[in-house]
Amino acid sequence: MKRILAILLASMMLLGLLAGCGSDNGTNSNGEGGTSNGSADVPKEDLSQVTTRATEMLGFTLADKQEIRSVYSGEVSTLNYLTTTSTGEFGLCANFIDSLVDYDQYGVMVPGLAESWDISDDGLTYTFTLREGVVFSNGSALTASDVQYTFERLLTSGGVNDDIPLEVAGAEALQNGEADTLEGFTVIDDYHFSITLNAANAGFVAELTGPAISVVDRETMETVQSFGLSCEDTIGTGPYKVTEWVVNDHYTLEYNDKYWGDEPSVKKMTVYIIPDASTQNLMYQNGDLDIIDLESLDASIVESTYKTQYADRIVTSSRVGLVYFALNENNKYLSDVNVRKAIQAAVDVDSIVTGIYAGDAVVENGIIPMGVWGFNKALERPAYDPAAAKALLESAGYSDGEISFELAMDSSASGNIQLVYQVIHQNLQAIGINAEIKSYDESSWLDLRKSGEMDSFVATWTMDYNDPANIMYTFFGTPEKTRIRSLNYPDTEIMARVAAASGITDDDARMAEYQALEKKIVSDDAAWVPLFGNTHLFAIGERVDSFVPYWAGYSNFYAKDVTLK
């Protein structure tokens, strides 16, 4: 892949001289925004010349009839869905795993590996029936003991993605080494099991749709050493299996002929790891990609090229989630609610939506995004008012330029998100706050955020399941959760209420409680700066007949959702 990038970059430099292309470092010559993500003005024959030799080197001049080629911008460090927290990695893993419960394309829950379930009158015990005849890609049969093992492993393997298993009776005893098995999990027989919770949770079944709770094979996990790191050791019950993975280059999925569900149209998918948006753009325009996530490209290129030349190939989906601006209340300045409220009023979200995203986004008003059960359209978001923000800081006793903190940016973030950082930096500078952008590689950025010491950052949260707890509890459910997100929200009483809200079984009462908590955190405490939600655009190639994005709108990697011509 290094050789192809060298060829592409050299060719792009020549085209830049001929066609007046800008730089590919996220800024134009005057340093004010404007990523150069390809050449909308380069003739098609030039694009062909740029990528022909690279295409031959990669060996995908003509894709097989049942194969698709896609691209991913970020790093892929693991395909172990039990230990990752990366949305991108979850999206990749989703091709070879299954959850107990699933969503259809409309966001309605449907059976997955569990074909049915019953709930006790007190809302504490759930009894599940597994599909019979399901096997993992290595031929091992799926049984209830595999589900039990999955829950127990999540509790004993380091505390990552243990939120759901911790709800089960006896979870803390197992996690603390006081028990050998999970008390609240009962295997009835190979195809039936029950789960008893510590407290009622109206959203428990919805939680089981998430990729982090997908079932692993006990026998395999107890014998292999490199699950999620080697193709041979990484198995699942999903429609595909991983057959090749070259780190930072590409990975390949092929149809799992042992899959229990409907046979997909796509039998093979190769995903190339290409962080450079310009290269992605050139590859698509030369016909070397069958699906491209347009979120990776500059909005001006999408507007001028994709919405014109490829308008009939654009697939649109609402991304059920939001981009937010996080503030660490352990910072000496950000601990002051007046500073946080000034920041809320200083950020011009409307200009971000129109200027960076060309209208392919919507302004969000709180924590619970549009499209999620519990969304409060009546919640008033902080109004953009830089004059009022500056006055608030002055009345709180801060001099111009006194407040400073770091705005930490993940270097693998899309060009558009990097532009969002620039806008926020400029907005805060306008009210006398110095928020300097510092770029980190993805793993360092994640480590710093998890340490609880990141001053501020911009990030995207996409819903794993359609329930407010998925975002409210994840960010504000416990002191530890606010710490690993570098929020360090101090109100333990509010956190206790957030944790207890999932146990309210009356839907109206539960919604009212979540909305009251949201108002307290966003409006009263200014502990959250809501920005926007994306309209997610993809472009499909000539060989693709249809593509239906996942209900939450975040994945262009679900090969089973693609139908070829």
Side-chain angles (χ1 to χ4, degrees):
M1 181 59 74
K2 290 182 179 178
R3 292 178 62 200
I4 177 177
L5 288 178
I7 291 168
L8 284 171
L9 290 173
S11 302
M12 285 161 56
M13 288 174 64
L14 174 60
L15 287 175
L17 293 173
L18 297 175
C21 297
S23 64
D24 63 357
N25 63 358
T27 60
N28 59 24
S29 58
N30 62 17
E32 297 177 354
T35 54
S36 173
N37 291 314
S39 175
D41 299 320
V42 177
K44 185 133 185 163
E45 57 268 24
D46 288 335
L47 291 174
S48 177
Q49 292 170 9
V50 170
T51 55
T52 293
R53 186 180 172 197
T55 298
E56 291 170 352
M57 291 172 60
L58 279 176
F60 52 65
T61 49
L62 264 181
D64 295 336
K65 287 185 67 176
Q66 295 178 305
E67 177 185 357
I68 62 170
R69 302 145 303 165
S70 188
V71 65
Y72 179 55
S73 301
E75 299 175 10
V76 180
S77 59
T78 181
L79 294 178
N80 185 345
Y81 48 92
L82 300 182
T83 60
T84 185
T85 58
S86 163
T87 298
E89 290 174 349
F90 277 139
L92 304 180
C93 294
N95 288 283
F96 63 86
I97 61 177
D98 285 312
S99 52
L100 290 169
V101 187
D102 204 351
Y103 283 106
D104 65 15
Q105 67 187 80
Y106 304 106
V108 176
M109 278 191 296
V110 295
L113 293 178
E115 64 180 12
S116 63
W117 52 89
D118 295 306
I119 307 172
S120 62
D121 291 340
D122 61 6
L124 291 175
T125 301
Y126 293 72
T127 303
F128 293 87
T129 299
L130 288 176
R131 294 181 186 273
E132 296 190 23
V134 175
V135 299
F136 291 87
S137 54
N138 66 351
S140 180
L142 170 72
T143 67
S145 67
D146 295 317
V147 186
Q148 179 186 29
Y149 177 82
T150 302
F151 273 69
E152 292 179 348
R153 185 177 178 90
L154 284 167
L155 289 167
T156 58
S157 60
V160 178
N161 298 323
D162 61 358
D163 295 357
I164 299 169
L166 276 172
E167 299 176 32
V168 181
E172 290 190 4
L174 175 63
Q175 194 169 62
N176 296 335
E178 300 166 4
D180 295 326
T181 59
L182 184 55
E183 175 192 345
F185 196 108
T186 302
V187 174
I188 300 169
D189 58 37
D190 279 352
Y191 299 107
H192 297 86
F193 63 92
S194 66
I195 297 174
T196 300
L197 305 180
N198 291 309
N201 176 6
F204 182 67
V205 174
E207 291 176 356
L208 299 180
T209 63
I213 199 72
S214 295
V215 182
V216 295
D217 178 37
R218 177 194 291 266
E219 180 181 353
T220 297
M221 297 298 287
E222 290 179 339
T223 56
V224 304
Q225 300 298 318
S226 301
F227 182 81
L229 297 176
S230 78
C231 300
E232 295 77 12
D233 291 353
T234 305
I235 67 166
T237 59
Y240 299 93
K241 55 188 177 182
V242 185
T243 58
E244 185 179 29
W245 180 16
V246 179
V247 175
N248 294 326
D249 190 279
H250 73 279
Y251 77 96
T252 302
L253 295 164
E254 296 187 38
Y255 174 56
N256 171 20
D257 58 8
K258 299 178 177 63
Y259 179 53
W260 57 271
D262 295 334
E263 184 174 340
S265 172
V266 173
K267 301 300 189 294
K268 181 178 180 180
M269 177 172 71
T270 300
V271 178
Y272 299 97
I273 310 301
I274 300 180
D276 183 68
S278 302
T279 306
Q280 293 183 26
N281 181 35
L282 290 170
M283 289 176 70
Y284 177 83
Q285 292 197 48
N286 198 46
D288 296 323
L289 294 176
D290 298 298
I291 295 179
I292 184 171
D293 184 348
L294 298 182
E295 196 171 72
S296 300
L297 309 186
D298 185 272
S300 63
I301 298 297
V302 175
E303 196 72 21
S304 64
T305 302
Y306 286 84
K307 289 185 179 181
T308 55
Q309 297 180 34
Y310 305 107
D312 59 339
R313 299 191 203 169
I314 290 182
V315 176
T316 302
S317 173
S318 296
R319 184 187 281 278
V320 185
L322 80 167
V323 178
Y324 61 95
F325 180 24
L327 307 174
N328 190 338
E329 294 193 42
N330 275 358
N331 176 279
K332 67 176 182 178
Y333 297 114
L334 298 176
S335 62
D336 187 341
V337 67
N338 294 301
V339 174
R340 298 196 303 273
K341 286 189 174 185
I343 290 172
Q344 283 184 331
V347 179
D348 188 358
V349 183
D350 285 327
S351 72
I352 291 173
V353 168
T354 57
I356 298 177
Y357 288 89
D360 289 326
V362 291
V363 176
E364 290 282 359
N365 64 353
I367 303 170
I368 303 170
M370 296 182 194
V372 176
W373 181 86
F375 169 70
N376 184 5
K377 64 180 180 181
L379 179 65
E380 291 187 18
R381 67 161 287 109
Y384 172 59
D385 191 339
K390 194 173 181 65
L392 182 59
L393 294 179
E394 290 174 355
S395 65
Y398 295 101
S399 60
D400 191 47
E402 175 183 350
I403 300 172
S404 64
F405 53 84
E406 185 176 283
L407 187 49
M409 183 174 71
D410 174 2
S411 61
S412 70
S414 70
N416 287 338
I417 289 295
Q418 294 189 35
L419 289 176
V420 171
Y421 272 89
Q422 295 290 341
V423 170
I424 290 175
H425 166 76
Q426 293 164 10
N427 287 163
L428 297 184
Q429 194 172 50
I431 65 167
I433 292 178
N434 181 27
E436 286 299 323
I437 300 172
K438 182 175 180 180
S439 182
Y440 295 83
D441 65 81
E442 184 176 21
S443 60
S444 298
W445 187 89
L446 289 170
D447 288 344
L448 179 60
R449 187 181 68 171
K450 190 175 181 180
S451 74
E453 297 177 1
M454 185 177 284
D455 283 346
S456 69
F457 61 92
V458 175
T460 301
W461 178 262
T462 305
M463 300 297 288
D464 298 310
Y465 55 91
N466 195 349
D467 191 276
N470 182 223
I471 189 166
M472 291 288 290
Y473 182 75
T474 299
F475 286 83
F476 297 99
T478 67
E480 175 63 11
K481 289 187 179 301
T482 73
R483 185 191 69 80
I484 64 173
R485 299 281 173 184
S486 279
L487 295 169
N488 289 301
Y489 181 67
D491 194 329
T492 55
E493 180 181 340
I494 292 298
M495 286 185 273
R497 285 175 59 187
V498 169
S502 62
I504 301 173
T505 55
D506 179 84
D507 283 347
D508 291 339
R510 188 159 71 104
M511 182 181 291
E513 174 69 345
Y514 274 127
Q515 292 181 350
L517 291 166
E518 182 183 35
K519 182 179 183 300
K520 174 71 167 64
I521 294 168
V522 177
S523 301
D524 299 344
D525 297 339
W528 180 267
V529 185
L531 298 178
F532 58 91
N534 292 93
T535 302
H536 205 166
L537 276 64
F538 307 88
I540 58 177
E542 293 180 347
R543 299 170 52 252
V544 176
D545 183 59
S546 66
F547 167 54
V548 180
Y550 186 62
W551 75 276
Y554 66 72
S555 180
N556 60 328
F557 304 111
Y558 284 16
K560 70 175 182 179
D561 296 331
V562 177
T563 302
L564 297 174
K565 294 178 180 177

